[in-house]
Amino acid sequence: MRNVKLTIEYDGTDFHGWQRQPNERTVQGVLEEAIAQVLGHRVRLIGASRTDRGVHALGQVANFKTTSKLPLETMLKAFNALLPEDVVIREIEEVPLDFHARYGAKSKVYEYRLLSWPIRSPLERRFSWHVADSLDIEAMRECCRMLIGMHDFSSFMLSGSDTKNPIREMRRAEILLRPPHHITFVFEATGFLRGMVRSIVGTLVDVGRGKLNPMQFKEIMEARDRSRASITAPPQGLFLVEVKF
Amino acid sequence: MRNVKLTIEYDGTDFHGWQRQPNERTVQGVLEEAIAQVLGHRVRLIGASRTDRGVHALGQVANFKTTSKLPLETMLKAFNALLPEDVVIREIEEVPLDFHARYGAKSKVYEYRLLSWPIRSPLERRFSWHVADSLDIEAMRECCRMLIGMHDFSSFMLSGSDTKNPIREMRRAEILLRPPHHITFVFEATGFLRGMVRSIVGTLVDVGRGKLNPMQFKEIMEARDRSRASITAPPQGLFLVEVKF
């Protein structure tokens, strides 16, 4: 038996999220189908992160077990030849049998990309959130600093989370400015609750707009109550960038 | 009578190029329709560059004449509200009556984006050319330097050009490396023949691959014969970045 680790890039636009669902086009579903076709047996693909519908990935990680003796390079070429143009396997690696993409992940890095400018952008529309207002970067950065450390993130969890423990450790919460009008939020945490990045970004943007001040952001965080947070930022700005093991 | 100048961004993927054609979705056609709806009269939109099918623009320029007294800001909002999501007017300006977007252009800047890496990229697929080989940047730069100045560019002109004079002045021909695996070609010239950037890039890539050497590139350029050049690079990597007046 071999355990194979994949690093995967996808354009989430036309996927119904990562997780396999009957009658929906999902990343897991499309990958499992291509892998089964090459290996001649069905596999169960374990993904590090179950990204939501419309969310992209530059470095999703997944693993599967196989008895196939096919060389890794041959597998990679065959998988990628069968995969549709909106998903690709970037790297393939054999790992110890106890490697588990979901339980073994030490931290994950997400980026959220936003265009802050009065005019929308046709070229960026699938890969960013268009916010017509100008935003107070310093106020949002002050809130980012509050996110660092161990916290109960219940206020930023969407319904449908299957976790009982809403405590996560945020290791990085930064705002990068990309001229002329782009803002990238970078978050690294030991784990993320469902919809957590998009809920945080939606609330940060309300701080940036001046609808909330950093003190109110802190109160929302401490309330552990999703109904206190702002709207959830739309999925097309979100990218799973890296999973660390 | 007023003369109105527009700066336009579009995602060329789903357009049949700039120029209006019966029964085809074109950028000019879509814009003229939105403008007519707002102003209540048909306009003739003059574009600086007739970009081909699948080519993008960050800064296409066009102008039209109108008797409308609508303030420019109102026009801009109304046009953009009616335009589909893959095209937007970024700037609007009133210009002297003799301003002509096509004849008045002093130079144009195009970028061609390429991904040089064995694995294709789902997220970049609509906005770059995927070349699986690694490329010799220095050899391509040597050829770029040969392009600078006044030259007969017949070797890099696609059929269907309506020009009788194939001489153009190339002012800038540069290669920018964007880590990790992206290469951007930047060209500025007083004008471009039909398919010129894509023909040059296709031939430069053959130099990068080692199929041609810089001396052979020079011979191709001097041959003034399109059949000597390499394949035309595909349209999705090409962006009209700026038109200077």
Side-chain angles (χ1 to χ4, degrees), chain B residues 138-149 151 173 217:
Chain B
E138 277 320 307
M140 294 194 293
R141 283 190 169 142
E142 195 178 331
C143 298
C144 281
R145 286 190 288 271
M146 298 175 192
L147 292 165
I148 300 293
H151 299 283
F217 183 87

Side-chain angles (χ1 to χ4, degrees), chain A residues 9-11 56-58 76 80 83-90 119-123 125-127 239, chain B residues 9-11 56-58 76 80 83-90 119-123 125-127 239:
Chain A
E9 174 179 331
Y10 46 88
D11 173 349
H56 314 292
L58 281 158
L76 181 67
N80 281 339
L83 286 169
E85 61 174 10
D86 50 357
V87 55
V88 81
I89 299 169
R90 290 172 62 150
I119 309 280
R120 62 188 167 80
S121 167
L123 287 163
R125 73 190 191 280
R126 291 193 179 90
F127 308 107
F239 295 73
Chain B
E9 174 180 331
Y10 47 87
D11 174 349
H56 314 292
L58 281 157
L76 181 68
N80 281 339
L83 286 169
E85 60 174 11
D86 51 356
V87 55
V88 80
I89 299 168
R90 291 172 61 150
I119 309 279
R120 61 188 166 81
S121 168
L123 287 162
R125 72 189 190 281
R126 291 192 179 91
F127 308 106
F239 295 73

Side-chain angles (χ1 to χ4, degrees), chain B residues 139-186:
Chain B
M140 294 194 293
R141 283 190 169 142
E142 195 178 331
C143 298
C144 281
R145 286 190 288 271
M146 298 175 192
L147 292 165
I148 300 293
M150 297 282 282
H151 299 283
D152 180 329
F153 285 101
S154 297
S155 291
F156 302 117
M157 174 168 68
L158 292 192
S159 63
S161 295
D162 59 359
T163 183
K164 284 178 184 117
N165 176 8
I167 293 175
R168 294 291 183 273
E169 186 190 348
M170 185 73 80
R171 293 183 176 168
R172 219 178 133 196
E174 286 173 13
I175 298 177
L176 309 178
L177 304 182
R178 291 185 300 139
H181 313 297
H182 288 85
I183 296 171
T184 301
F185 299 85
V186 185

Side-chain angles (χ1 to χ4, degrees), chain B residues 2-96:
Chain B
R2 296 159 81 194
N3 194 4
V4 178
K5 177 188 172 196
L6 306 175
T7 306
I8 303 151
E9 174 180 331
Y10 47 87
D11 174 349
T13 310
D14 298 324
F15 285 108
H16 219 92
W18 166 265
Q19 196 166 19
R20 190 182 48 229
Q21 293 172 57
N23 309 318
E24 298 288 0
R25 185 175 187 266
T26 69
V27 184
Q28 185 186 18
V30 159
L31 282 163
E32 285 183 346
E33 199 181 305
I35 295 168
Q37 233 176 303
V38 172
L39 302 183
H41 66 83
R42 298 185 65 175
V43 297
R44 187 172 152 252
L45 196 61
I46 297 160
S49 180
R50 286 170 294 186
T51 56
D52 279 333
R53 183 178 181 168
V55 173
H56 314 292
L58 281 157
Q60 168 75 290
V61 171
N63 72 295
F64 67 89
K65 293 189 179 166
T66 180
T67 51
S68 164
K69 294 193 167 58
L70 221 56
L72 290 179
E73 270 307 303
T74 312
M75 274 192 203
L76 181 68
K77 281 186 182 159
F79 295 161
N80 281 339
L82 289 175
L83 286 169
E85 60 174 11
D86 51 356
V87 55
V88 80
I89 299 168
R90 291 172 61 150
E91 289 167 38
I92 191 165
E93 194 185 341
E94 197 166 336
V95 285

Side-chain angles (χ1 to χ4, degrees), chain A:
Chain A
M1 186 67 75
R2 296 158 83 194
N3 194 4
V4 178
K5 177 188 172 199
L6 307 175
T7 305
I8 304 151
E9 174 179 331
Y10 46 88
D11 173 349
T13 311
D14 297 325
F15 285 108
H16 218 93
W18 168 265
Q19 197 166 19
R20 190 183 46 230
Q21 292 171 57
N23 308 320
E24 298 289 359
R25 183 175 188 267
T26 68
V27 185
Q28 186 186 19
V30 160
L31 282 162
E32 285 182 348
E33 198 181 307
I35 295 168
Q37 232 178 304
V38 172
L39 302 183
H41 67 83
R42 296 185 65 175
V43 296
R44 187 171 152 254
L45 196 61
I46 297 160
S49 180
R50 288 170 293 184
T51 55
D52 280 333
R53 183 178 182 171
V55 173
H56 314 292
L58 281 158
Q60 168 75 291
V61 171
N63 73 295
F64 67 88
K65 293 188 178 167
T66 181
T67 50
S68 164
K69 294 193 166 60
L70 220 56
L72 290 179
E73 270 308 303
T74 311
M75 273 193 206
L76 181 67
K77 280 187 183 157
F79 294 161
N80 281 339
L82 289 174
L83 286 169
E85 61 174 10
D86 50 357
V87 55
V88 81
I89 299 169
R90 290 172 62 150
E91 290 167 36
I92 191 166
E93 195 185 341
E94 198 166 335
V95 285
L97 279 178
D98 64 355
F99 175 89
H100 190 286
R102 188 157 171 228
Y103 300 138
K106 291 257 190 303
S107 73
K108 292 168 197 164
V109 181
Y110 277 94
E111 274 187 22
Y112 194 95
R113 301 183 190 170
L114 184 150
L115 172 65
S116 165
W117 186 242
I119 309 280
R120 62 188 167 80
S121 167
L123 287 163
E124 305 277 344
R125 73 190 191 280
R126 291 193 179 90
F127 308 107
S128 67
W129 180 21
H130 174 228
V131 173
D133 311 294
S134 70
L135 301 173
D136 180 340
I137 304 295
E138 277 321 306
M140 295 194 293
R141 283 189 169 144
E142 195 179 331
C143 299
C144 281
R145 286 190 288 270
M146 297 175 193
L147 292 165
I148 300 295
M150 297 281 284
H151 298 283
D152 180 330
F153 284 102
S154 298
S155 291
F156 302 117
M157 176 169 67
L158 291 193
S159 64
S161 295
D162 59 1
T163 183
K164 284 179 187 116
N165 175 9
I167 293 174
R168 295 290 183 274
E169 186 190 347
M170 185 72 79
R171 293 183 175 169
R172 218 178 134 195
E174 287 173 10
I175 298 177
L176 309 177
L177 304 182
R178 291 186 299 139
H181 313 297
H182 288 85
I183 296 172
T184 301
F185 298 85
V186 185
F187 299 100
E188 178 174 353
T190 51
F192 288 87
L193 306 171
R194 177 144 195 267
M196 182 168 145
V197 175
R198 292 162 54 201
S199 300
I200 289 175
V201 170
T203 310
L204 284 174
V205 164
D206 270 354
V207 172
R209 282 168 166 149
K211 284 193 192 175
L212 295 172
N213 62 44
M215 192 56 79
Q216 290 168 308
F217 183 87
K218 192 161 192 250
E219 284 164 18
I220 289 168
M221 222 177 121
E222 288 170 354
R224 297 169 205 183
D225 173 4
R226 178 64 185 93
S227 68
R228 296 284 304 276
S230 305
I231 60 149
T232 305
Q236 78 275 5
L238 186 59
F239 295 73
L240 172 58
V241 172
E242 193 185 351
V243 183
K244 298 183 179 176
F245 291 90

